[in-house]
Amino acid sequence: MAVALPPPPPSPPSPPTRPRHRVVVLALDGVLPFELGIPQRILGRARTADGHVPYEVVTCSVRPPGPVRAEADFSVLVENGPEALATADTVVVPASYELGPVYERGVLTEALAAALALIRPGTRLVSICTGGYVLAAAGWLDGRPATTHWSHAEHFQQLFPRVRVDPDVLFIDDGDVLTSAGVAAGIDLCLHLVRRDHGAAVANDVARRTVVPPHRDGGQAQYVERPVPEPTLSTTAAARSWALTRLHRPLPLRDLADRESMSVRTFTRRFREEVGISPGQWLVQQRVQRARHLLESSDLSIEQVADASGFGSAQSMRQHLQTALGVTPTSYRRTFRIRNTGP
């Protein structure tokens, strides 16, 4: 006798597919291979705490798919033409040594202008090193702060007088347009994008796997060519290491100078030469980083985070985070605790 079996239970619904932020990297002839690979190595390797891969990174050319000459002794086979720019949430323009009229006269070639015209309004724009010349020639940096490699900064400013060039910083975040200094500063900028989009924990994880610091001190002023100091002179490295273990305490400049057996004046000068910013600015940067980490990873109250970060009060921390990040501590925690814990 046949027995009717009950129907199988319905399969649980598949979790919804989470969207990925599409990053399109524009490879121009003469592209520097190092800079070309930074977006994929940093953004493409990012993972949130629940394993989500938040970025999709693709590379395109201003021509149909095919080889693009690199600055090295090889070409790069690029599999996407300029139409990929129309699909981008973020466009990255790495450095090139063959910018031609873009570098010489500040004007776009016909092919480059046609390709850039495909970019949708509201797309985030990013340049690495001399890639900023492309953004400036397109008019996207007019009236805005920007940076480029320190050795090109004077020429950049002369060619584009409407751009507010800052030659001393590693990168500039001006909201929907971001520019970086030369070469490895592209790593700093891409880590900043991950940090801005998904929080310090995700950026720190990428930095660890890439074997680079998650946040470099100071700006590119420390890399400008200068006479080599006498080898017998002391540095401020030990004082900086000591300070990082005591960020929760007051750190008077006198105490930092004493760690190196220097006068305050000598210590301040040497510190700025080595780091590119003043000791006070550096301490604020480190305390902001500590506060971000605690807001993301701990259940400490806002007041406790402020105390553990060395700000002294919640109001002081609020002011510094508002200046550095444009958000309050409560808003920052709400945003990045949600993103890092996942659904």
Side-chain angles (χ1 to χ4, degrees), residues 150 170 216-226 273-274:
W150 62 265
L170 292 174
R216 278 199 291 170
D217 299 333
Q220 63 173 325
Q222 60 192 303
Y223 303 105
V224 176
E225 185 175 3
R226 295 186 177 92
E273 288 173 353
E274 294 176 1

Side-chain angles (χ1 to χ4, degrees), residues 73-122:
D73 62 343
F74 55 81
S75 294
V76 179
L77 182 60
V78 177
E79 299 183 355
N80 297 283
E83 64 279 356
L85 293 168
T87 69
D89 300 304
T90 292
V91 170
V92 181
V93 184
S96 166
Y97 279 171
E98 295 182 24
L99 291 175
V102 175
Y103 184 86
E104 296 158 4
R105 295 182 283 115
V107 296
L108 300 172
T109 64
E110 184 176 341
L112 182 53
L116 297 180
L118 298 172
I119 298 174
R120 297 172 297 174

Side-chain angles (χ1 to χ4, degrees), residues 284-296:
V284 169
Q285 284 186 355
Q286 305 312 310
R287 284 173 166 148
V288 167
Q289 288 299 106
R290 174 71 60 80
R292 292 172 73 162
H293 172 71
L294 293 175
L295 288 169
E296 291 182 29

Side-chain angles (χ1 to χ4, degrees), residues 313-336:
S313 70
Q315 178 62 27
S316 175
M317 183 176 73
R318 187 175 298 109
Q319 291 173 348
H320 282 100
L321 261 69
Q322 190 76 48
T323 299
L325 310 177
V327 296
T328 65
T330 301
S331 296
Y332 185 86
R333 166 171 274 173
R334 183 184 307 117
T335 298
F336 290 110

Side-chain angles (χ1 to χ4, degrees), residues 162-178:
R162 297 182 64 185
V163 180
R164 306 201 308 271
V165 180
D166 185 344
D168 294 332
V169 296
L170 292 174
F171 61 84
I172 289 178
D173 180 345
D174 196 38
D176 58 341
V177 178
L178 301 93

